[in-house]
């Protein structure tokens, strides 16, 4: 059996080496995944050889072994003999993601029409180990899934509930128009910005690199090399800059997927911690809004005490509307080590009732007076009033999706239903997070990403496997892998950026 070693050197670049030590540079075009390019090249290599090919994919120090048959079938395998070690031949280990390719391109062999036609109808090969940093997927739509209408179409029999105005809603358009007309003369007389003003600086670009090859050179030789514009370090700095930026007021981030066990609570806990780390203690709160209490209280590092739950806070608000001061509010919140707050769910409810639509709205009313962001950790019942409130009022919707077909299908149906009932604009505020975990099927990744992008979601992000998330134990954010923290930071940056630009 012939062997093929492939090393992923960047977000859209890879190097392939075969038994004859020849080197082929692979590059993914804009809108294409490097994993798809690797899959096409591996299948072509096997077809040309007329025999199965053992493919070893090395990505950020992790290795995945696959066997590609001439008919295109792919299966996981163990190495059967010595394989060319792509990473060992490099003098310096690759740490940073490579910048945008300039001269490298996929060889003509991998771009023949037969390969493209094969990719159209079959799932691609994706490595079992994920990249150490999130990657925004932008694969071209495949055109086989329905796209919901742009306008909201209520289902037959559904009744739209009339809700009183809430503090986080946008101002009346007529008021905004009158205000802009009143100040029109002032704006027209303001002088334009001087042509002598200094140009804008990309956040973090003036600081020396601290990681990767340039960071090591700076530390050893006392240099001041800046990070590459497309490096992982610059993506982290840009994400932190977005997280610390201004937002228009109280905002709701809903984490939802009706399929259980997909990682909603770990993602909610992680986003809550990362946002508080960079925006400051007391800026964000995560609430369990499941119909009957979920697992939030069992996953945070400091568990809530008795009385630190949603219904207790709602009851205090109902007893004295508008009178809860910050010192009193803290009695109902469980402060975590990073400065973020948590509100447990309701396990019994009043007279055995579940958490309802009005309960969550009352919770948001009181929190909007003291916090900037509410992260709503939802349950699995799409008919529950608490679930419907959290999704219909979300400024940003975060949808965790493991690489399992059932979880991806449930999330896809949920988004189609939300677009049909609440309007397709919710999709433009949706971030899908592809998360690795036990029992994953990496081969469905390309198909799933295609489906979500065709529906019209804002973006699809990548999350590496995190053992602490999968363990079911309490999550101490200081114990998370660095790759997990970096991925959460990029997702949090995208969330805050969506909140900020929604008001423009």
């Amino acid at each position: 059996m012939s062997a093929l070693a492939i090393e992923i050197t960047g977000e859209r670049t890879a190097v392939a080496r075969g038994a004859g030590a020849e080197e082929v540079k692979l590059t993914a075009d804009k809108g294409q995944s490097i994993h798809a390019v690797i899959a096409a090249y591996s299948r072509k290599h096997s077809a040309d050889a007329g025999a199965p090919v053992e493919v070893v994919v090395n990505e950020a120090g992790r290795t995945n072994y696959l066997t590609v048959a001439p008919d295109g079938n792919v299966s996981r395998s163990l190495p059967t003999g010595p394989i060319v070690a792509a990473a060992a031949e490099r003098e310096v280990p690759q740490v940073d993601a490579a910048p945008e390719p300039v001269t490298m391109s996929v060889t003509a062999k991998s771009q023949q029409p037969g390969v493209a036609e094969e990719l159209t109808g079959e799932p691609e090969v994706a490595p079992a180990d994920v990249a150490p940093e999130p990657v925004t997927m932008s694969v071209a739509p495949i055109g086989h899934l329905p796209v919901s209408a742009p306008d909201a179409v209520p289902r037959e029999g559904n009744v739209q509930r009339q809700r009183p105005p809430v503090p986080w809603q946008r101002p009346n358009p007529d008021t905004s128009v009158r205000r802009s007309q009143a100040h029109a003369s002032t704006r027209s007389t303001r002088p334009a910005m001087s042509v002598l003003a200094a140009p804008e600086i990309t956040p973090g670009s003036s600081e020396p690199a601290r990681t990767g090859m340039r960071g090591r050179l700076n530390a050893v030789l006392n240099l001041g090399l800046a990070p590459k514009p497309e490096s992982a370090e610059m993506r982290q700095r840009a994400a932190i800059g977005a997280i610390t930026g201004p937002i228009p007021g109280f905002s709701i981030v809903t984490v939802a997927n009706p399929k259980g066990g997909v990682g909603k609570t770990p993602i909610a806990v992680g986003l809550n911690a990362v946002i508080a780390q960079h925006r400051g203690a007391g800026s964000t709160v995560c609430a369990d809004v499941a119909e009957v209490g979920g697992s939030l209280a069992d996953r945070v590092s400091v568990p809530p005490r008795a009385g630190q739950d949603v219904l207790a806070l709602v009851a205090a608000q109902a007893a004295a509307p508008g009178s809860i001061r910050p010192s009193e509010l803290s009695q109902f919140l469980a402060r975590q080590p990073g400065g973020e707050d948590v509100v447990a769910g309701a396990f019994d409810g009043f007279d055995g009732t579940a958490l309802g639509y009005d309960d969550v709205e009352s919770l948001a009313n009181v929190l909007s007076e003291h916090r900037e962001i509410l992260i709503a950790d939802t349950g699995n019942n799409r008919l529950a009033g608490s679930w419907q409130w959290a999704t219909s009022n979300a400024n940003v919707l975060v949808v965790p999706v493991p690489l399992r077909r059932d979880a991806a299908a449930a999330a896809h149906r949920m988004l189609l239903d939300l677009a049909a009932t609440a309007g397709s604009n919710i999709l433009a505020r949706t971030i899908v997070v592809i998360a690795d975990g036990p029992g994953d099927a990496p081969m469905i990744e390309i198909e799933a990403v295609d489906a979500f992008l065709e529906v019209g979601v804002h973006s699809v992000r990548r999350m590496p496997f995190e053992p602490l998330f999968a363990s079911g134990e309490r999550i101490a954010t200081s114990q998370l892998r660095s790759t997990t923290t970096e991925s959460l930071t990029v997702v949090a940056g995208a969330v805050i950026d969506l909140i900020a630009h929604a008001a423009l």
Side-chain angles (χ1 to χ4, degrees), residues 126-138:
D129 296 315
V130 302
E133 60 190 50
V135 178
T136 302
M137 304 292 186
S138 55

Side-chain angles (χ1 to χ4, degrees), residues 208 214-225:
R214 296 191 175 200
R216 291 193 292 272
L217 290 175
N218 288 342
V220 174
L221 303 178
N222 196 24
L223 301 177
L225 299 175

Side-chain angles (χ1 to χ4, degrees), residues 19-59:
E22 69 275 12
E23 180 177 297
V24 178
K25 298 181 179 179
L26 306 178
T27 299
D29 297 330
K30 186 176 182 181
Q32 188 180 24
S33 167
I34 187 59
H35 296 148
V37 176
I38 292 174
Y41 179 78
S42 301
R43 287 193 173 106
K44 183 63 177 175
H45 195 280
S46 177
D48 291 344
V53 175
E54 191 173 75
V55 181
V56 180
V57 180
N58 186 283
E59 184 174 4

